[in-house]
Amino acid sequence: MPALTPIEAARPKALEFFAGIGLARMGLEAGGFRVAWANDYEPDKKAMYDAQFGDRADHQFTLGDVAAIDASELPQDASLAWASSPCTDLSLAGARAGLAGRQSSAFWQFIRLLRELGDRRPPVAVLENVTGLATSHGGDDLAAAIMAFNDLGYSVDVLAIDARRFVPQSRPRLFLVAAQDAPEETDEFVSDLRPDWLSGIFTDSSLRTHRAKLPAPPAPMIEGFGALVEDIPPSDGLWWDADRTAAFVASLSPIQRERVTAMRRTPGVKHRTAYRRTRRGEAVWEVRPDDISGCLRTARGGSSKQAVVKLGNKRLQVRWMTPREYARLMGAADYDLSGARTNQALFGFGDAVAVPAVAWLAEHYLEPLATGRLTRIDARELRAIG
């Protein structure tokens, strides 16, 4: 196992709950942290994690249910605890059971472990989840999550960040940043990071919240997917045959078919993404009109997999998106895929957080907060905004 360099050893230590294939780790380490411990319960994800990161003397991966972990097993001097808890019960694509759902309730195990750490709990904790958390059960789930952090002595900031600000993929996510010592605040209730649908959280007198002063994030990308597409020859077997392609076109709505036909006739080559959806009980394909990918999802069936449509010069070809394209759209272009099965990789990336979104948050907020470089006020004296 390679030894740590002095620079690596000096970095603040982070814990990575619900680590998946390690994209949060990639972002946190790009933003100045050193991830010392990780956990996930899926062997396929751990296999990809191990292939990407290898062994490191100061890192431990605990495979298994987070409910079986005891706080004594965790590093006791961490500066940050990151949790990308399961979003199945909160996603707009799920059953919306909320934090009480079988999978999303793993969040409460994260809270349990923070509580058991006592005065050794990290000064900063983050919950990353889908934006559906903000509306789940009329907003009660988000308030309950904030209250849980409040009960542990944390003040909470809530940010909405779309990965589209960094990669050509529409992937909005919610980030709850919990701080024992809250940073100096901004007076802005509505910004690119805190849209108006979050404003009620900051005016709720029952919650202890803050709004850190942060730089403006990059503007959302309006193009770029085509530049990430793998160069696969037209004769390659990955492209669908004539019958399957004809069935794809036949499933398009009249408006969709007209748009696709127009793009097909134009000179030059364009790439678009497509999803299969159910409309009025029928499976249909829908093609995005722009050069941006739709949100990648966990590939547990054809309806969740994304297709690539190649158009132009009077030709149209369709195929499934490749694992390497998934990796590029998650900001992990060089991820080691050498030993991963296709569906294993698609599921791992579709169930993860975009690397550059985490890196931006770590660089501009989490690392300065954990190391005291943000101007801070004592959260115990923080007056709820209202």
Side-chain angles (χ1 to χ4, degrees):
M1 297 182 184
L4 291 175
T5 67
I7 292 177
E8 289 173 332
R11 290 183 168 190
K13 191 178 294 186
L15 313 178
E16 185 188 21
F17 291 84
F18 317 106
I21 63 173
L23 298 199
R25 174 176 173 176
M26 294 175 71
L28 290 172
E29 294 191 340
F33 285 93
R34 172 168 56 93
V35 176
W37 179 93
N39 158 257
D40 203 273
Y41 72 97
E42 296 200 42
D44 274 355
K45 290 180 179 177
K46 181 181 185 296
M48 291 183 64
Y49 192 107
D50 290 345
Q52 173 65 21
F53 299 105
D55 290 332
R56 198 174 73 186
D58 73 320
H59 185 275
Q60 175 188 351
F61 192 113
T62 300
L63 178 65
D65 191 339
V66 67
I69 296 173
D70 188 270
S72 62
E73 303 172 39
L74 304 176
Q76 305 294 299
D77 56 348
S79 299
L80 170 72
W82 177 283
S84 292
S85 65
C87 63
T88 306
D89 298 308
L90 299 170
S91 170
L92 293 174
R96 302 301 293 276
L99 289 178
R102 181 175 60 86
Q103 290 183 303
S104 296
S105 61
F107 164 75
W108 298 110
Q109 296 298 330
F110 173 58
I111 292 296
R112 172 186 64 81
L113 288 167
L114 291 178
R115 180 179 297 108
E116 289 179 0
L117 283 170
D119 58 8
R120 295 168 297 175
R121 71 176 61 105
V124 182
V126 177
L127 171 66
E128 177 265 328
N129 215 292
V130 294
T131 55
L133 175 58
T135 56
S136 181
H137 291 115
D140 288 348
D141 281 343
L142 177 56
I146 294 173
M147 287 181 184
F149 283 120
N150 289 167
D151 288 344
L152 296 177
Y154 294 102
S155 172
V156 179
D157 198 353
V158 185
L159 310 173
I161 303 177
D162 194 335
R164 186 172 176 172
R165 296 182 181 276
F166 310 94
V167 290
Q169 179 198 172
S170 174
R171 193 178 189 84
R173 287 295 184 268
L174 210 62
F175 298 85
L176 276 63
V177 179
Q180 289 182 343
D181 293 312
E184 182 181 355
E185 293 197 280
T186 176
D187 293 329
E188 296 180 358
F189 272 94
V190 179
S191 69
D192 286 347
L193 297 171
R194 303 177 187 89
D196 55 3
W197 46 269
L198 284 175
S199 60
I201 289 296
F202 299 106
T203 57
D204 187 337
S205 60
S206 68
L207 304 176
R208 191 159 71 251
T209 59
H210 64 270
R211 301 185 309 279
K213 291 182 177 180
L214 299 171
M221 298 179 70
I222 59 174
E223 60 183 5
F225 170 70
L228 300 184
V229 173
E230 287 199 82
D231 185 14
I232 297 176
S235 60
D236 193 286
L238 287 176
W239 295 105
W240 296 351
D241 62 24
D243 290 343
R244 191 173 186 182
T245 302
F248 170 87
V249 174
S251 80
L252 299 174
S253 69
I255 293 177
Q256 288 263 328
R257 194 176 301 122
E258 181 179 353
R259 180 191 303 146
V260 166
T261 299
M263 285 191 288
R264 183 178 182 176
R265 290 172 176 167
T266 57
V269 175
K270 293 162 287 297
H271 294 88
R272 297 292 184 265
T273 62
Y275 264 124
R276 189 166 57 194
R277 304 183 186 276
T278 300
R279 302 296 188 196
R280 293 185 292 277
E282 294 186 7
V284 299
W285 281 97
E286 294 183 359
V287 180
R288 282 187 69 100
D290 54 10
D291 190 28
I292 298 292
S293 166
C295 184
L296 301 180
R297 299 177 185 172
T298 51
R300 289 197 189 274
S303 62
S304 62
K305 292 169 65 177
Q306 200 156 176
V308 176
V309 185
K310 183 178 180 181
L311 299 147
N313 298 330
K314 299 182 180 180
R315 297 189 64 179
L316 180 150
Q317 289 186 287
V318 187
R319 62 169 172 80
W320 293 119
M321 192 179 290
T322 67
R324 181 57 63 195
E325 289 162 345
Y326 266 57
R328 290 172 178 173
L329 286 169
M330 294 299 287
D334 297 327
Y335 197 95
D336 187 347
L337 297 171
S338 58
R341 305 182 310 276
T342 295
N343 277 350
Q344 177 187 8
L346 299 186
F347 184 86
F349 286 109
D351 199 29
V353 58
V355 173
V358 178
W360 185 91
L361 190 66
E363 177 185 356
H364 296 287
Y365 196 166
L366 305 180
E367 196 275 345
L369 182 60
T371 58
R373 292 191 295 110
L374 279 185
T375 303
R376 301 193 294 181
I377 55 178
D378 192 327
R380 291 169 297 183
E381 299 177 0
L382 183 67
R383 178 175 57 85
I385 301 168

